[in-house]
Amino acid sequence: DTPAALADMIRPYTYVLEDGAVKLPPVQRVPIDLELPPALRADYDRLRAQSQLSDLEIVAGSAGVLFGKLRQVATGIAYRTRDDARFRLDPFRLEALVNLVDELQGRPLIVAYELGEELAMLREQWPRAEWIGGGSRDDDATIARWARRQAYPLLFLHPASAGHGLNGLE
C-alpha cells in the first residue's frame, strides 16, 4: 500500500497532471510581518484575558468563539456578538497592503480575505479590482480575464472559493 499503488488504483477515476506537464510562473510568497498597533494590541490582550470587550459588546462564550474573535481583532475588524454589527478597529493591514501594491507597480497580485468586511474595505480601496467569493458572479470568467491580464492586476479571493484551483477554466 504505497502512494504509487494508491495512485495506480485511482488513476482510472481521476485526472492527474504529471510533473512538468505545464510550465507555470514561479509563485512568490513574501512574508510580511506586521505588529498590531498599540491600541489594537491592548484590545486583543483584553479580549484574550477577559473573553470580552464590553465597550463593543464583543463576548466570547467559549474557547472556540474566543479564537474566532481574536482572529477578527487581529485583522482590525470585529463583529459584535449579539447582532453581527461590524466595527473597523484599525486599518493597519490595509495600509500595509497599499504599500505592497505600490511597490509592485502594476504586477499581478492575489489577495486572500477571510471576512466580508475585509472584502468591503478592499473594494472601497480598489473599486476596479475583481473578486471571487463574497457574492461574486461568473467566477470562471473573472479568473480567465485576470489570468489573461485583461482585468485590474489585483484579484481578491476567499480561500473557500478557490479550493479546486484557479487555472484550466477556459
Side-chain angles (χ1 to χ4, degrees):
D1 294 344
T2 66
L6 179 59
D8 288 340
M9 288 172 47
I10 65 171
R11 184 166 281 117
Y13 309 104
T14 61
Y15 175 75
V16 177
L17 187 61
E18 300 298 329
D19 288 342
V22 175
K23 181 156 174 49
L24 298 174
V27 173
Q28 295 180 11
R29 290 186 177 94
V30 180
I32 300 172
D33 294 325
L34 297 176
E35 289 198 27
L36 295 177
L40 191 59
R41 183 64 201 209
D43 283 343
Y44 182 94
D45 291 341
R46 189 165 37 114
L47 177 60
R48 186 172 180 198
Q50 301 171 5
S51 295
Q52 67 178 354
L53 293 175
S54 56
D55 52 330
L56 298 177
E57 299 181 45
I58 296 172
V59 178
S62 69
V65 172
L66 177 61
F67 177 77
K69 294 295 181 188
L70 290 170
R71 285 181 61 154
Q72 290 173 15
V73 170
T75 67
I77 299 167
Y79 291 84
R80 186 165 52 204
T81 303
R82 72 177 156 83
D83 60 4
D84 274 346
R86 296 176 291 271
F87 297 95
R88 291 186 183 180
L89 303 173
D90 194 298
F92 77 104
R93 288 178 55 176
L94 183 62
E95 292 165 2
L97 185 57
V98 167
N99 292 335
L100 176 61
V101 169
D102 288 345
E103 287 176 25
L104 289 174
Q105 298 179 354
R107 286 180 286 174
L109 176 66
I110 296 175
V111 177
Y113 67 91
E114 183 176 359
L115 305 172
E117 190 64 19
E118 284 179 290
L119 177 60
M121 285 176 39
L122 292 168
R123 292 187 60 211
E124 286 172 17
Q125 182 70 36
W126 292 284
R128 294 178 33 220
E130 299 196 58
W131 75 97
I132 297 173
S136 61
R137 300 187 193 281
D138 201 2
D139 292 346
D140 292 353
T142 297
I143 293 165
R145 271 191 312 278
W146 194 82
R148 290 190 309 263
R149 297 191 180 187
Q150 294 174 332
Y152 195 76
L154 282 176
L155 177 65
F156 306 135
L157 171 74
H158 192 284
S161 298
H164 298 292
L166 298 175
N167 294 322
L169 298 173
E170 295 181 274

